């Protein structure tokens, strides 16, 4: 079954304009699909909800439920998965509250992985697991060397055993090829991977 794709930005064909600042998020014509109350709320959160886009893809694939990203974010924030600081900055996704949230609200069994080589995750992907992995957002251009590791989340759901590649959806990919069903070898993925994320058991593993 094909894994549905959703961007963290509603106009997936305008991602490059949105992340570069060429287009203001308030001007995204599809902002209402996010579940935001207004364009300002969408603009404030759209660059922070890669984790909610990953969850949206998982729920659509596993449970047939398509829930807007900000409708997922609000209760996640109540669980402590996001924290808005006094200066207005947003901290998150915070993994452990997120794990509690998806278990209690969606019946998903998950665990936080830290200091975990991607090879360990690779071995689990055909055993009923998916992985929300922390990577640098420059993974959309894998030919570059990232300045650091982590800072963004992608939804890893499959592998190509012949080529030892991971298959994932990237919520901030800027072209169709960098958004969905991205294939990347373990060595290249590791250059962006922060060795942490959230491992989730699919329904047939419960």
């Amino acid at each position: 079954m094909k894994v549905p794709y959703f961007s963290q930005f509603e106009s997936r064909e305008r991602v490059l304009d949105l992340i570069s600042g060429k287009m203001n998020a308030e001007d995204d014509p599809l902002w209402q699909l996010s579940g935001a109350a207004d364009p300002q709320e969408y603009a404030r959160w759209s660059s922070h909800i890669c984790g909610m886009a990953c969850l949206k893809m998982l729920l659509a694939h596993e449970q047939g439920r398509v829930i807007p990203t900000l409708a997922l974010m609000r209760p996640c924030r109540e669980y402590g998965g996001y924290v808005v600081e006094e200066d207005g900055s947003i901290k998150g996704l915070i993994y452990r509250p997120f794990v509690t949230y998806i278990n209690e609200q969606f019946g998903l069994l998950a665990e936080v992985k830290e200091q975990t080589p991607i090879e360990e995750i690779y071995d689990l992907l055909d055993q009923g697991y998916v992985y929300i992995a922390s990577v640098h957002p420059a993974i959309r251009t894998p030919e570059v060397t990232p300045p650091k590791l982590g800072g963004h989340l992608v939804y890893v759901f499959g592998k190509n055993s012949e080529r030892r590649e991971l298959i994932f959806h990237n919520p901030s990919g800027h072209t169709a090829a960098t958004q969905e069903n991205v294939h990347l070898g373990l060595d290249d993925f590791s250059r962006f991977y922060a060795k942490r994320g959230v491992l989730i058991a699919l329904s047939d593993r419960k």
Side-chain angles (χ1 to χ4, degrees):
M1 181 179 176
K2 180 180 178 181
V3 178
Y5 174 81
F6 298 100
S7 173
Q8 67 191 84
F9 303 97
E10 295 301 326
S11 292
R12 59 179 288 186
E13 74 283 357
R14 300 298 299 274
V15 169
L16 189 59
D17 290 342
L18 288 162
I19 61 178
S20 69
K22 182 178 179 181
M23 177 181 183
N24 293 325
E26 292 95 331
D27 298 324
D28 186 336
L30 300 180
W31 69 266
Q32 288 179 304
L33 297 178
S34 70
D38 51 47
Q40 290 71 37
E41 184 185 25
Y42 171 73
R44 185 183 186 193
W45 283 94
S46 57
S47 62
H48 297 278
I49 53 171
C50 49
M52 297 301 96
C54 291
L55 177 59
K56 182 178 180 179
M57 291 186 261
L58 171 59
L59 292 173
H61 185 219
E62 277 295 292
Q63 301 182 2
R65 306 168 66 181
V66 178
I67 303 174
T69 48
L70 267 69
L72 292 170
M73 177 278 295
R74 293 188 190 100
C76 185
R77 180 181 172 186
E78 292 178 2
Y79 273 83
Y82 291 95
V83 174
V84 178
E85 305 285 5
E86 290 185 4
D87 63 1
S89 62
I90 297 171
K91 180 181 179 181
L93 185 65
I94 303 171
Y95 294 163
R96 284 177 174 78
F98 171 70
V99 165
T100 302
Y101 165 54
I102 63 175
N103 175 253
E104 294 186 358
Q105 296 299 316
F106 304 110
L108 295 170
L109 300 181
E111 62 177 299
V112 177
K113 304 296 283 187
E114 296 175 314
Q115 297 301 314
T116 304
I118 198 59
E119 289 80 5
E120 180 178 323
I121 301 301
Y122 176 85
D123 289 340
L124 294 170
L125 290 173
D126 56 359
Q127 298 180 38
Y129 294 92
V130 294
Y131 191 53
I132 297 177
S134 176
V135 299
H136 190 273
I139 199 168
R140 70 172 71 90
T141 50
E143 67 276 7
V144 308
T145 299
K148 61 179 183 177
L149 303 178
H152 179 55
L153 296 168
V154 297
Y155 180 50
V156 184
F157 57 85
K159 68 184 184 182
N160 182 323
S161 298
E162 291 183 5
R163 298 187 178 186
R164 286 185 61 78
E165 293 175 333
L166 298 170
I167 305 173
F168 61 93
H169 285 348
N170 181 358
S172 72
H174 63 294
T175 65
T178 62
Q179 289 173 341
E180 56 183 311
N181 298 314
V182 182
H183 288 237
L184 198 61
L186 295 182
D187 289 344
D188 282 332
F189 192 92
S190 292
R191 294 192 297 108
F192 301 87
Y193 173 55
K195 294 187 177 181
R196 61 179 180 266
V198 177
L199 184 71
I200 303 168
L202 300 181
S203 55
D204 59 359
R205 295 289 299 179
K206 295 180 182 178

